[in-house]
Amino acid sequence: MSAAKQLRQLIADNPPVVAPGAFDGLSARLVEQASFSAVYATGGGIARSTGVPDLGLMSLDEITRRLEEMVDVTGIPLIADADTGHGNALNAQKTARAFERAGVAGFHLEDQVFPKKCGHYDDKSIVPEREMTQKIRAVKDALHDPDMVLIARTDGLAVEGYEPTIARAHAYMEAGADAIFVEAPTSEEQIEQIARDLPQPKLINMFHGGKTPLMPADRLGELGYSLIIIPSDTQRAAIWGMQQTLAAIRRDGHSAAMQEQMVTFKGREAVIGTDDYLALDEKYGV
């Protein structure tokens, strides 16, 4: 069964699907090893892992290479962040084909102006509704796998307000999107209202410190949200851990003070399956 078909089946049979964020092969492996059924390849996290902010600065080729690495070392469906499709409708078609070749199960495409900003930043700009619907149609025409899950994201709440955003969401679904993603609702009441006004499959973004209040996954599932992504919390935890370890090394000349907060040498090797690689090395006499 293809990854895209697996994701569709998960959405249909076991909602809500919780997909923690990952930004490289190691973090994607950790999500799978934590027994999650899907992983979210966060565009912002991938950008930050290269040392640049989430402002649309990475090229399509750079993003695609990272997605290939993540797909290659995991066996669960990967949901990718296509940003704006890296330009107009033709650029979005190229992005969709590249993501499809990389092996992702689905991706979200947003209606911000290119280059985009993180969805929880202020002063965003969005394209006209018709431009986005044309982009969705172009992407659907470009895809070869009919099971690929196309999620249409709108950043309209902070730009146009509630009613125009809901109208956009319906237009995007009519254009061919498989699910809708209304970015950055600012209250539980708004989350509930979106669920009532959009009975279609929905994705919601849940992470600590953003504009959207945190709600339990079970409650979101009851409201009708099919997918829950938690993009940046794993990376933020990793940043904190590295900062603490570096502070200990700077202070003491070694990391002994942090040993209880670090995996062991063997634990690190187990995460990446070193023993399996060594067995293959022996088998093939490399």
Side-chain angles (χ1 to χ4, degrees):
M1 184 185 299
S2 71
K5 188 170 287 187
Q6 287 180 53
L7 181 59
R8 282 187 178 270
Q9 188 168 317
L10 285 169
I11 292 170
D13 298 343
N14 299 293
V17 178
V18 179
F23 47 91
D24 60 9
L26 175 60
S27 54
R29 271 184 179 269
L30 289 168
V31 171
E32 181 175 25
Q33 290 172 5
S35 298
F36 288 94
S37 57
V39 57
Y40 174 63
T42 160
I46 291 172
R48 286 185 292 271
S49 75
T50 71
V52 301
D54 183 19
L55 293 172
L57 299 175
M58 295 193 69
S59 70
L60 173 59
D61 287 346
E62 290 174 311
I63 294 290
T64 303
R65 281 196 297 272
R66 185 66 65 87
L67 295 176
E68 289 171 347
E69 294 169 1
M70 297 167 75
V71 168
D72 192 46
V73 297
T74 52
I76 56 177
L78 183 143
I79 303 163
D81 179 356
D83 286 341
T84 65
H86 294 267
N88 63 21
L90 297 180
N91 298 120
Q93 285 191 321
K94 182 178 180 181
T95 297
R97 292 191 187 107
F99 280 21
E100 191 172 39
R101 289 193 299 272
V104 307
F107 57 88
H108 63 75
L109 183 72
E110 68 195 60
D111 59 5
Q112 281 198 52
V113 171
F114 178 81
K116 55 75 58 81
K117 294 181 178 179
C118 168
H120 290 249
Y121 288 172
D122 294 327
D123 302 320
K124 297 181 290 184
S125 298
I126 57 177
V127 300
E129 179 183 304
R130 184 177 182 278
E131 182 176 334
M132 182 62 176
T133 56
Q134 290 293 83
K135 192 177 287 189
I136 292 168
R137 293 188 181 99
V139 165
K140 294 294 283 189
D141 287 345
L143 293 169
H144 296 98
D145 185 352
D147 291 314
M148 180 68 71
V149 179
L150 172 58
I151 303 155
R153 167 178 151 175
T154 176
D155 285 66
L157 281 179
V159 181
E160 295 181 333
Y162 186 82
E163 295 299 335
T165 297
I166 296 301
R168 278 178 175 264
H170 283 291
Y172 297 169
M173 294 298 293
E174 290 170 7
D178 299 297
I180 193 69
F181 172 12
V182 177
E183 175 65 304
T186 56
S187 68
E188 291 189 11
E189 292 75 18
Q190 198 169 63
I191 292 170
E192 293 170 356
Q193 187 64 47
I194 289 168
R196 287 192 292 270
D197 291 339
L198 296 173
Q200 301 94 334
K202 291 174 291 297
L203 179 150
I204 190 166
N205 184 2
M206 285 272 119
F207 69 94
H208 179 68
K211 293 185 176 182
T212 303
L214 300 182
M215 294 179 68
D218 289 348
R219 175 58 180 153
L220 291 169
E222 291 171 358
L223 291 172
Y225 287 92
S226 308
L227 291 164
I228 302 170
I229 57 170
I230 305 167
S232 61
D233 290 3
T234 52
Q235 187 174 60
R236 290 162 66 186
I239 290 170
W240 185 86
M242 286 189 282
Q243 288 174 330
Q244 299 304 305
T245 302
L246 290 167
I249 293 171
R250 178 67 177 168
R251 183 185 65 245
D252 304 330
H254 51 71
S255 63
M258 291 296 298
Q259 292 308 300
E260 295 302 317
Q261 285 75 49
M262 297 165 60
V263 297
T264 64
F265 177 89
K266 288 184 178 180
R268 182 195 68 188
E269 299 307 297
V271 167
I272 59 174
T274 300
D275 288 346
D276 295 333
Y277 282 96
L278 291 175
L280 289 173
D281 179 63
E282 184 175 347
K283 177 180 178 180
Y284 297 120
V286 177

